[in-house]
Amino acid sequence: MTTTDTHCPYCALQCGMGLRRPPPGAGPGVPPVEVVERPGFPVNRGALCGKGRTAAAVLDPAVRLTAPLVRDPATGTLVRASWDEALSRVAAGLEETATRYGPEATGVFGGGGLTNEKAYLLGKFARVVLRTPHIDYNGRFCMSSAAAAHRAAFGIDRGLPFPVEDIATAGCVILVGANPAETMPPLLRYFTELRRNGGHLIVVDPRRTRTAERADTHLRPVPGTDLALALGLLHLAVADGHLDEEFIADRTTGFEQARAAAMAHWPERVEQLTGVPVPLMREAVRRFADAPTAMVLTARGAEQHSKGTDTVGAWINLCLATGKAGRPGSGYGCLTGQGNGQGGREHGQKADQLPGYRSLTDPAARAHVAKVWGVDPGTLPGPGVSAYELLDRLGTPGGVKALLVAGSNPMVSAPRAAHVTERLAALDFLAVSDVVLSETAALADVVLPVAQWAEETGTTTNLEGRVILRRAAVTPPDGVRTDLDVLHGLAARLGVPRGFPTDPQEVFEELRRASAGGPADYAGISYPRIRAEDGVFWPCPHPTHPGTPRLFLDRFATPDGRARFAAVSHRPAAEEPDAHYPLHLTTGRVTAQYQSGAQTRRVPELNAAAPGPFVELHPRLATRLGVTEGQLLAVTSRRGRALAPARITDAIRPDTVFMPFHWPGAGRANTLTNPALDPVSKMPEFKVCAVRLEKAATGEQQP
């Protein structure tokens, strides 16, 4: 049998795995490829979660797209078409819209699972071919608040400024709004090793998750109050004498303003806001400050808020004030969610960025990238709007009227999802390229079936900033093309026959040149080097550079080399409970499903483990409402109504309910969520909104 070393298609760990093909003539009933462990890859050391182990199931032609589909104008249904007809219809839809309304009426919406090569070429396609400012991606919904705070504090944004293996050596870790036991199980071993080594794990989460059950200390704040908690901890660090005055003086700036803001958040006030007792806060600060090395790691629970950037900034403040940054074994990091959420934004999918994490408003950056692309810098459009703003304006005067979606399913994943569905339906033209017929694809005028992780080669950048190589192991079915082929075909039909290669290595070589000298510098990284080294950490500015596994050890990436404190203050969530909507709703993931579930919902083993949506509520709330286990409930917010069966557990706060967001239809959690945006990152407030809970009406059906 032949085994190809590659990586999992799902989360940002990008776990190493092998794909084993049977010998020729193996006979019927033998799968074309099976997933096997790859112990040599350092991130997961062979461990795989259920999603990774079953990833090959989506390669089955029976569960995925294998031919282009176009909307039949006579019947309104999607019918099979040739590639020439499908690509010509997409090109015509984009061109006719630009002619009628101007290029800004066209747009692109990308995905955090696309390889670096695809993300790079998608951004180039929007700006060079369509000449539109309107490109963003679903990674905006992932870690944009952490990215904004990271850049403000340290001058550069990389999810983790150190390898994941460093977690196990820390004396203390504060894990804020993260549940890796369910979202990225292979990472959990590092927290287990941390505790085995004598370290202390503090988990901040309103729910007693599987991760929180393993913690030494569990802080359970009211949803939407993580900012207040971080400020209260900094107040205690000041009051109880836990500051590292030498580090503050030598390597930071702005502490006095941050301290003044924190001192307005005295412990008793913070306890009243968060529900976290003062003694627990004081113990957490002591553990963190006294540890020789310590980290704060955040995830979506802290970041998906209308004040997410300030919240992450406040947690970074705690690291800086106690000297737990810019030193081996210490620092702030973000647990990136999507498979290429890091690389996806580094190379041009975000509305305001060019390849190499360059700013679209920087004249020097525009000149550099334009030279690589062979265009006049003046022809590059300026920044567009963020992901939700783009979706919210679809089909409206001044909004995008023809949209190309690549590898994303906003009908399920976007906040206020019923409204987003209406806006997608209001488009003059919608094209979707995807592996499966997602809910968004089913709404499209043209659907383009594209190859997936095991069928094509390309790079991704994992949560550590390690650039890795997914290798093709099998040939895609007849009728399927790569995203690079799609962009090449569309560009040629729209009058740009050159500059859109179909070979991923050729695209990566151009990406290297475009990123050279930028904050995310890939110039020294190559396919052969990635193969030889099991990945290379950026920045890596030249071929003999060793790469940078650990950032900030000598200086931070700011002009003066100092980290910057954030002077932030607590403010309420955009929507607080009231008499009509008396409960907090928070959302998240379950182990067996991933993101909008477009792929994992097609895997029988995963569906058996997590067959559908549910509402998690506390026994006291269930008793008050007269609800029994499994009873169908209606959850209502100001944006809509969702149905799901009750799951009664004391792991949730009595004032809070929880729903996972993987399912469409009546159980779609994002029907309820609030699109209120963080003013800096434009992150929607997925993690908290006000709802009411009641028994479903007689005759309503369980989703």
Side-chain angles (χ1 to χ4, degrees):
M1 291 188 177
T2 302
T3 301
T4 301
D5 286 344
T6 189
H7 296 269
C8 180
Y10 292 115
C11 84
L13 280 181
Q14 288 297 279
C15 290
M17 61 167 57
L19 291 179
R20 187 161 59 198
R21 300 185 301 282
V30 178
V33 65
E34 67 172 323
V35 173
V36 295
E37 291 185 358
R38 183 182 162 194
F41 187 65
V43 174
N44 61 309
R45 306 175 195 165
L48 294 169
C49 72
K51 294 185 292 292
R53 284 189 295 99
T54 61
V58 188
L59 298 171
D60 186 346
V63 301
R64 46 94 62 88
L65 294 164
T66 56
L69 304 174
V70 299
R71 186 77 55 186
D72 184 338
T75 65
T77 60
L78 288 170
V79 298
R80 291 170 70 99
S82 69
W83 268 99
D84 184 63
E85 179 186 0
L87 290 174
S88 295
R89 284 183 64 164
V90 176
L94 294 168
E95 189 169 39
E96 289 167 9
T97 300
T99 300
R100 183 174 180 184
Y101 300 106
E104 293 191 2
T106 63
V108 176
F109 195 88
L114 301 180
T115 63
N116 290 319
E117 292 80 2
K118 296 178 186 180
Y120 171 80
L121 222 56
L122 200 64
K124 183 179 179 182
F125 177 81
R127 295 178 174 111
V128 172
V129 179
L130 299 182
R131 299 202 174 183
T132 181
H134 294 309
I135 175 170
D136 213 87
Y137 82 130
N138 62 17
R140 177 77 67 170
F141 301 155
C142 177
M143 56 174 291
S144 56
S145 292
H150 222 150
R151 286 199 309 273
F154 304 126
I156 200 170
D157 159 42
R158 199 178 83 185
L160 295 182
F162 39 71
V164 294
E165 64 191 33
D166 286 6
I167 293 171
T169 67
C172 180
V173 169
I174 302 179
L175 193 58
V176 190
N179 183 17
E182 297 202 59
T183 59
M184 42 181 65
L187 184 65
L188 200 62
R189 68 167 56 195
Y190 293 101
F191 297 103
T192 301
E193 290 175 15
L194 160 84
R195 298 185 66 208
R196 190 181 299 135
N197 293 336
H200 194 88
L201 177 61
I202 301 169
V203 171
V204 179
D205 200 303
R207 302 168 62 224
R208 191 179 68 247
T209 63
R210 287 173 53 196
T211 304
E213 288 175 346
R214 296 167 180 254
D216 299 290
T217 302
H218 181 196
L219 309 182
R220 302 184 69 174
V222 174
T225 63
D226 294 316
L227 174 54
L229 179 60
L231 288 162
L233 296 182
L234 180 55
H235 180 117
L236 286 168
V238 174
D240 293 353
H242 293 304
L243 300 183
D244 187 329
E245 302 279 5
E246 183 178 355
F247 180 87
I248 293 170
D250 292 347
R251 300 200 61 188
T252 74
T253 186
F255 175 63
E256 291 306 320
Q257 295 88 340
R259 175 165 61 181
M263 298 315 285
H265 297 77
W266 56 94
E268 293 74 18
R269 178 191 175 201
V270 172
E271 179 177 322
Q272 187 176 28
L273 288 168
T274 66
V276 178
V278 172
L280 270 181
M281 286 191 275
R282 179 164 274 119
E283 173 68 6
V285 170
R286 184 187 68 77
R287 291 277 189 179
F288 186 77
D290 287 353
T293 58
M295 301 172 181
V296 171
L297 305 176
T298 68
R300 308 304 81 73
E303 300 157 13
Q304 287 180 324
H305 294 273
S306 59
K307 53 181 183 291
T309 302
D310 285 357
T311 300
V312 175
W315 287 104
I316 291 173
N317 285 351
L318 182 64
C319 291
L320 296 178
T322 55
K324 301 300 192 292
R327 292 172 171 170
S330 293
Y332 163 76
C334 167
L335 299 180
T336 308
Q338 295 190 79
N340 199 30
Q342 182 72 49
R345 69 182 182 280
E346 291 170 3
H347 299 298
Q349 270 194 114
K350 274 184 76 176
D352 57 347
Q353 287 177 195
L354 288 169
Y357 223 129
R358 287 182 160 91
S359 170
L360 193 51
T361 59
D362 178 0
R366 293 169 65 88
H368 174 88
V369 174
K371 183 177 180 180
V372 174
W373 289 349
V375 299
D376 183 337
T379 64
L380 296 179
V385 297
S386 71
Y388 181 76
E389 292 170 307
L390 189 157
L391 296 171
D392 181 46
R393 301 173 191 179
L394 294 176
T396 65
V400 166
K401 291 180 170 58
L403 182 68
L404 172 63
V405 176
S408 187
N409 190 17
M411 274 183 59
V412 179
S413 63
R416 198 185 172 197
H419 171 71
V420 169
T421 300
E422 291 173 358
R423 300 278 28 100
L424 286 163
L427 286 164
D428 290 359
F429 182 81
L430 173 63
V432 175
S433 66
D434 210 330
V435 172
V436 298
L437 189 67
S438 70
E439 287 71 25
T440 304
L443 195 66
D445 297 289
V446 179
V447 183
L448 304 172
V450 291
Q452 52 181 308
W453 61 290
E455 300 164 346
E456 58 183 351
T457 295
T459 62
T460 63
T461 306
N462 80 345
L463 78 173
E464 315 162 291
R466 186 195 302 258
V467 184
I468 55 95
L469 186 65
R470 291 183 187 166
R471 299 166 174 86
V474 293
T475 302
D478 292 340
V480 170
R481 296 186 182 181
T482 70
D483 286 287
L484 301 185
D485 285 319
V486 168
L487 292 174
H488 175 84
L490 290 177
R493 285 167 173 80
L494 291 167
V496 185
R498 295 182 179 84
F500 290 84
T502 59
D503 175 50
Q505 187 165 355
E506 186 177 346
V507 176
F508 190 79
E509 290 302 307
E510 182 178 308
L511 181 157
R512 292 174 63 191
R513 298 194 302 275
S515 74
D521 192 334
Y522 283 32
I525 305 174
S526 64
Y527 276 27
R529 185 170 174 187
I530 296 171
R531 290 189 186 99
E533 300 177 25
D534 251 342
V536 182
F537 290 85
W538 72 261
C540 183
H542 53 80
T544 59
H545 190 279
T548 315
R550 295 170 181 84
L551 295 170
F552 314 138
L553 297 184
D554 300 316
R555 68 190 309 274
F556 296 99
T558 55
D560 60 5
R562 291 171 172 264
R564 284 153 170 68
F565 280 90
V568 296
S569 295
H570 171 71
R571 59 185 185 274
E575 184 178 84
E576 294 283 352
D578 58 21
H580 297 289
Y581 301 94
L583 299 168
H584 300 280
L585 169 71
T586 190
T587 65
R589 287 171 46 191
V590 296
T591 309
Q593 301 289 352
Y594 182 71
Q595 303 301 76
S596 76
Q599 295 184 44
T600 51
R601 284 187 274 114
R602 287 165 167 81
V603 179
E605 181 179 328
L606 300 179
N607 279 335
F614 57 86
V615 183
E616 198 173 86
L617 69 158
H618 192 274
R620 292 211 300 267
L621 178 59
T623 299
R624 180 158 59 84
L625 298 175
V627 170
T628 57
E629 179 74 18
Q631 187 168 8
L632 188 63
L633 300 179
V635 188
T636 306
S637 76
R638 290 178 173 85
R639 289 151 296 281
R641 192 166 184 266
L643 299 172
R647 183 173 293 183
I648 300 172
T649 172
D650 63 3
I652 191 80
R653 294 175 54 96
D655 58 3
T656 301
V657 295
F658 167 83
M659 289 186 71
F661 57 76
H662 309 290
W663 289 274
R668 182 175 58 186
N670 277 322
T671 297
L672 308 167
T673 48
N674 189 355
L677 300 181
D678 180 289
V680 178
S681 68
K682 305 300 183 181
M683 168 72 83
E685 190 149 79
F686 285 100
K687 277 295 182 277
V688 60
C689 69
V691 299
R692 66 172 179 265
L693 192 64
E694 55 205 345
K695 298 175 187 177
T698 302
E700 290 190 286
Q701 297 297 310
Q702 182 166 318

